Amino acid sequence: MTSDIRGRGRAAVSGAPESQAALDYYLIMAAAGADGAPAEGVVVEEFTLTGDFRTVGLDTAGWTAADGAWWSSAAFGRAMREDPGLRARARAVSRPEAAAAYRGLGGGELPGEPRLRALFRDHRPLPDSPPLRLSPPRVSDGFRDTRIYRVLFAGEPHLSRLSDVVALAGEAGDPRTRIIGRGALRTDPDVFTWEVRRIGPGVACCLDLTAHLGTASGQALGPLLRRLTTAMRHAGPIPVTVERFS
């Protein structure tokens, strides 16, 4: 295991400016995969998390230039994950990029995150369950706790955008290759390793994170999950849920 991931990836998961945004931002483009296609609207989302970072709910709000008003819709959030056509038109962006698009579409200044959060009126509960124990709990020597998480995504990432997440496997471009790449990070006294996997070519993928925690608090775990999920979103797929296996 490496002591850290490559320099570019280390910046992505150790404190990039995007990590300061608490909400997830997307632009809905007029056409799927068309370079230079105009944006039609802005979508803002937030997952509800348990104390150990499992997802138990999702809120989705959006604004389109055609309507000129904000709306909240659990059905739209579901469709972003289940409808390949809509998913192909959704592009993850940073808050500054969303603000620029919103202004360019005539919306003015993008509301602050407290105001955006107040727009969430159609909450979508997600199934909740205790950690799925696939094997008896086993803590690695020298650590206080070992946890395994899976972040499930709809769609497949663009390999060219994954350098901020993993070192790509040699056969990553082959759709039959299940493990696309691996990464690792040491933040004394914790050690994290992760893999990006395909779950059906073009249909879904996941990021499996193993966290060896040297402290009881695990204070680095939540921010790292957030940053890895954000980096994956910017590579193309849309997060569906976070499960804990141990």
Side-chain angles (χ1 to χ4, degrees), residues 30-48:
D35 292 337
E40 294 185 337
V42 177
V43 171
V44 183
E45 292 193 322
E46 184 174 44
F47 281 99
T48 305

Side-chain angles (χ1 to χ4, degrees), residues 52-153:
D52 63 346
F53 313 115
R54 307 187 321 272
T55 53
V56 293
L58 175 64
D59 286 288
T60 304
W63 180 93
T64 57
D67 297 331
W70 285 92
W71 41 262
S72 180
S73 172
F76 190 88
R78 184 183 301 110
M80 281 179 58
R81 290 150 176 86
E82 297 178 356
D83 182 347
L86 177 57
R87 187 168 67 241
R89 293 171 52 213
R91 180 162 66 88
V93 295
S94 66
R95 177 176 167 85
E97 290 173 312
Y102 183 70
R103 190 181 307 113
L105 290 170
E109 293 302 312
L110 184 67
E113 295 202 331
R115 171 59 183 149
L116 289 173
R117 192 173 282 109
L119 297 171
F120 295 146
R121 296 183 296 273
D122 189 16
H123 181 71
R124 179 188 174 192
L126 297 176
D128 181 30
S129 61
L132 178 61
R133 305 284 183 181
L134 300 181
S135 60
R138 184 177 62 183
V139 179
S140 299
D141 292 342
F143 296 97
R144 295 195 177 189
D145 193 9
T146 295
R147 302 183 188 180
I148 299 174
Y149 288 86
R150 169 164 288 180
V151 187
L152 178 65
F153 296 86

